Amino acid sequence: MADIINLLPDNIANQIAAGEVIQRPASAVKELLENAVDAGATEIQLFIRDAGKELVQVIDNGSGMSDTDARMCFERHATSKIQSIDDLFHIRTMGFRGEALASIAAVAQVEMKTRRPHEDVGTFIEIDNSVIKRQEPCQTAPGTSIAMKNLFFNVPARRNFLKSNAAEMRHIVDEFIRVALAFPHLQFSLNSNGQQMFHLEKGSLKQRVVSILGQHYNAKLVTVKETTDYMNIHGFVGKPETAKKTRGDQFFFVNNRFIKSSYLNHAVMTAFAEMIPSDSFPLYVLFIDLDPAHVDINVHPTKQEIKFDDERILYAFVQSAIKHALAQFSVTPALDFELDPGIQQLDALTQPFTEQKKQQSSNTSIYKTFTHANQAHVIDQSSNLRHWKELYGPALTPDNENTVPSEQPVSSTASVIDERWQEAATDQKVPVQVHQQFILSQIKSGFILIDQRAAHERILYERYQRALSEKPIATQQSLFPQTLELLPADAIVISEMLPDLQALGYDLEPFGQQTFVVRGTPADIQSGNEQASIEGLLEQFKHYSSELKHNRREQLVRAMARNNAIPAGKMLGTREMQNIIDELFACTTPNVSPGGRFTFISFKLNDLERMFDRGA
């Protein structure tokens, strides 16, 4: 019987290996930027066309390469950084395995120009599907320019798996930001389709963080800096008020290499415990420096997942450093032990405590409660507390029952609740709000308890779905249009969603690269709340984009419904509650929210009778 195992041809083997390293255009961006950093460049330019599908080009002013090195760098496992196996565990450079350029050349058309500063002539190389088509001398600036064109042109099936241009561009911006944050002393720029998205001058880490994440963070960053013999940590965390509902502004770097570590992220979350809501995520940009011998980088093709020889020490160190920073900058809550000067003027301190006053004090019920045994539970019969049962009776008298206005301030909340319970007693169909979270409504077979937020989310979800497919939602034009400045990645998201947002009632116009003019919002959104509405929508959209596998329109509708639903804790009028009930049961799927939570629970009358032993 003939042998059936054969060696793969080099071109197929290269494409298989490329699939581990180059998954999308952003993967090539990461590798090319890191190579430019390793080359000692001080100025690095990134040019993108068609979200990297047509062109990814990186130009640097680094050390350049000789004509021999220029050809060798595209061979698999060709590297200048590894001479022995020990070198693998003392790596401080970004690239070292010699896979990046070989992988790019296997799935794209590559052109490279390179020249060393002391040479008069550089080298031009053209590669197509791992085959060198041309190599010749050329005139070029010192440094290296690599252009990757037509990604996956020779693997159409892989190209079909790429996402929309906006989605791929978001990934490119993410990779660009990670490298730019790691090296603030270098100048970076990013141009997409002829427009400049970033121009980052050399500066301090704080300047780089603020220029990327936004000027509004300038006064909201807390410095983290701890030094030990084993490891060092430095960087910034955001104050608790900067925490968001979605992950995003969270960056860990180990020896200047961006990593993903749920373990270290948990250490940060623990340090922020009880300062931010449990479903929020703090901002942090943290750099950990330690001996490369304690780190194994070579465990993942993209080198974003690494291993430590002792994770517990690292966890405790990160947690302690952040807690110390927050306490040092008075961010954590603290007890105030300073005495109010007004207390010093009270009669209790300035006047003598005479025998007469002592006798009067010892006869009070409060004194007896604290000094006599078994008195803590006793209610003084002369006290008004003996009428505690009356607190549960009607709060309104005939003299004032008609004086309560329909819209009550917070201080008269109890009176409003009592009034509604009285209405419910006279008209059994009037809904009643419970703890400002649930709506209780009587039905023929018993009653139902409605979660007001989940129910409203279902109502809005179906309303927005109809708006996209049938009739757009009315827009409320703003008297004074607002200018909204977004982060580059968020601006890409909004640009992609503009047509759908207009159908949902938003009137937005681009006003520059990262700026939009808000001329109108859906009619049911309160005027003056335009910016908060769009920022909340963005956060929810990113939440659904990362956790749910739905198309973009579905993600947008769910995000809109969740962002605009009435929150728990909001007091509702009788008409508002009835509208929610009527609209909920007019929905096609009234029993669950878009996220799958129950919108209401029904209680049958016979179940209630059984609970109270009425059948006995």
Side-chain angles (χ1 to χ4, degrees), residues 321-356:
I322 294 174
K323 282 187 174 181
H324 182 245
L326 294 174
Q328 186 177 2
F329 285 87
S330 301
V331 174
T332 54
L335 292 174
D336 186 2
F337 290 102
E338 293 184 3
L339 189 63
D340 187 346
I343 294 177
Q344 302 287 350
Q345 309 303 321
L346 295 177
D347 291 344
L349 296 179
T350 59
Q351 300 296 326
F353 191 49
T354 64
E355 285 296 328
Q356 181 182 2

Side-chain angles (χ1 to χ4, degrees), residues 268-439:
V268 178
M269 296 296 292
T270 306
F272 273 91
E274 298 181 4
M275 283 189 286
I276 61 174
S278 58
D279 59 345
S280 296
F281 301 93
L283 174 152
Y284 59 79
V285 182
L286 296 172
F287 292 78
I288 297 173
D289 298 317
L290 73 164
D291 189 337
H294 298 303
V295 183
D296 186 1
I297 306 168
N298 197 34
V299 297
H300 192 271
T302 64
K303 300 187 284 286
Q304 288 187 357
E305 298 176 14
I306 64 178
K307 287 184 178 179
F308 304 96
D309 60 357
D310 194 336
E311 287 187 326
R312 289 175 298 177
I313 291 180
L314 208 63
Y315 183 100
F317 182 70
V318 169
Q319 184 184 25
S320 175
I322 294 174
K323 282 187 174 181
H324 182 245
L326 294 174
Q328 186 177 2
F329 285 87
S330 301
V331 174
T332 54
L335 292 174
D336 186 2
F337 290 102
E338 293 184 3
L339 189 63
D340 187 346
I343 294 177
Q344 302 287 350
Q345 309 303 321
L346 295 177
D347 291 344
L349 296 179
T350 59
Q351 300 296 326
F353 191 49
T354 64
E355 285 296 328
Q356 181 182 2
K357 290 183 178 180
K358 182 177 181 181
Q359 185 66 30
Q360 291 174 351
S361 299
S362 61
N363 291 330
T364 62
S365 59
I366 295 178
Y367 181 85
K368 293 176 181 178
T369 299
F370 280 93
T371 57
H372 295 179
N374 304 319
Q375 293 294 308
H377 65 284
V378 175
I379 297 176
D380 183 8
Q381 294 301 312
S382 63
S383 169
N384 290 332
L385 290 177
R386 69 178 185 273
H387 303 295
W388 65 271
K389 291 184 179 180
E390 295 176 8
L391 293 174
Y392 289 88
L396 300 178
T397 64
D399 295 333
N400 64 3
E401 63 182 352
N402 295 322
T403 61
V404 181
S406 57
E407 295 295 330
Q408 293 290 337
V410 176
S411 60
S412 61
T413 297
S415 299
V416 176
I417 294 175
D418 287 335
E419 181 183 271
R420 288 176 183 164
W421 278 105
Q422 284 186 334
E423 290 178 359
T426 56
D427 184 355
Q428 295 180 341
K429 295 184 179 180
V430 173
V432 176
Q433 192 176 25
V434 181
H435 289 291
Q436 299 179 13
Q437 298 185 61
F438 306 99
I439 300 171

